[in-house]
Amino acid sequence: VFRFYSQLLSTQSAAFYVASTNPTHLELLGSPGSSSCKTIDAQSDWRCEYGGSLVPAPHYRLWDRFDNLCMDGGYAVSATILNNPNGGRLGCPDGSEGTCYATSSQGVVVFEGLGIDQQGIGYSLSIVIAQELGRDSVGLPSALQADTAPFDLYAPRYLSVVQGVS
């Protein structure tokens, strides 16, 4: 008969690091909102904008198959227009158009400075990570895709607000 007493048992641990594998899914953290109107000056003029930076910037978390955040970073991620109701062009921070690129850092990818040059209702973006085939043995798809929520871009117009009229 064996008897174990907790006073006689001890444990020992060594430092360890949880390494992530290739991303297997994307989590949407922020999607562009519909454009809105703001004052041009404090007195009377209002402007509805489009073509400027999409706010908030689309941003995502990258997770691996074990639900670890892909902290190693350096994953190339692209953004393109998925739903294009009015033939808009996606403008990138580097001045190029069509497909914009960003690199993940600390498990997050943020697309700062994206803009669309046409008004429209129901725009959405497609975010894609191209996988490096052969780095993982679980048969990952060749690319991961996630889409933003739909958003609207309104036509610019200048409105005069008459003060004192109800």
Side-chain angles (χ1 to χ4, degrees), residues 4 11 20 26 30 33 37 44 51 71 77 80 82 99-100 105 110 129-130 132 141 146 165:
F4 294 97
T11 61
S20 60
L26 299 168
C37 299
S44 61
M71 297 295 287
V77 186
T80 56
L82 176 66
T99 302
C100 303
S105 174
V110 180
I129 299 176
E132 295 179 25
V165 176

Side-chain angles (χ1 to χ4, degrees), residues 4-163:
F4 294 97
Y5 297 94
S6 62
Q7 293 87 0
L8 301 176
L9 297 177
S10 67
T11 61
Q12 191 171 29
S13 179
F16 63 93
Y17 173 76
V18 176
S20 60
T21 61
N22 285 343
T24 57
H25 56 284
L26 299 168
E27 174 190 7
L28 175 65
L29 296 176
S31 189
S34 296
S35 62
S36 60
C37 299
K38 65 179 184 179
T39 59
I40 295 174
D41 62 40
Q43 297 299 316
S44 61
D45 292 330
W46 290 75
R47 175 173 58 201
C48 296
E49 293 188 89
Y50 75 95
S53 295
L54 299 178
V55 176
H59 52 293
Y60 294 82
R61 277 195 191 124
L62 287 63
W63 297 97
D64 72 5
R65 68 177 186 238
F66 302 110
D67 289 329
N68 295 315
L69 193 58
C70 296
M71 297 295 287
D72 295 336
Y75 292 99
V77 186
S78 65
T80 56
I81 296 177
L82 176 66
N83 188 35
N84 195 345
N86 222 20
R89 290 178 304 198
L90 182 64
C92 310
D94 64 3
S96 62
E97 293 180 342
T99 302
C100 303
Y101 297 93
T103 303
S104 67
S105 174
Q106 298 295 305
V108 176
V109 63
V110 180
F111 285 93
E112 295 284 353
L114 299 183
I116 297 176
D117 68 349
Q118 295 292 321
Q119 67 181 6
I121 296 174
Y123 278 106
S124 62
L125 300 178
S126 175
I127 309 300
V128 176
I129 299 176
Q131 295 286 1
E132 295 179 25
L133 299 177
R135 278 187 63 188
D136 214 332
S137 61
V138 296
L140 290 176
S142 60
L144 296 175
Q145 177 178 338
D147 305 330
T148 63
F151 57 93
D152 305 329
L153 300 175
Y154 302 110
R157 60 183 92 104
Y158 292 88
L159 304 173
S160 216
V161 177
V162 180
Q163 295 182 2

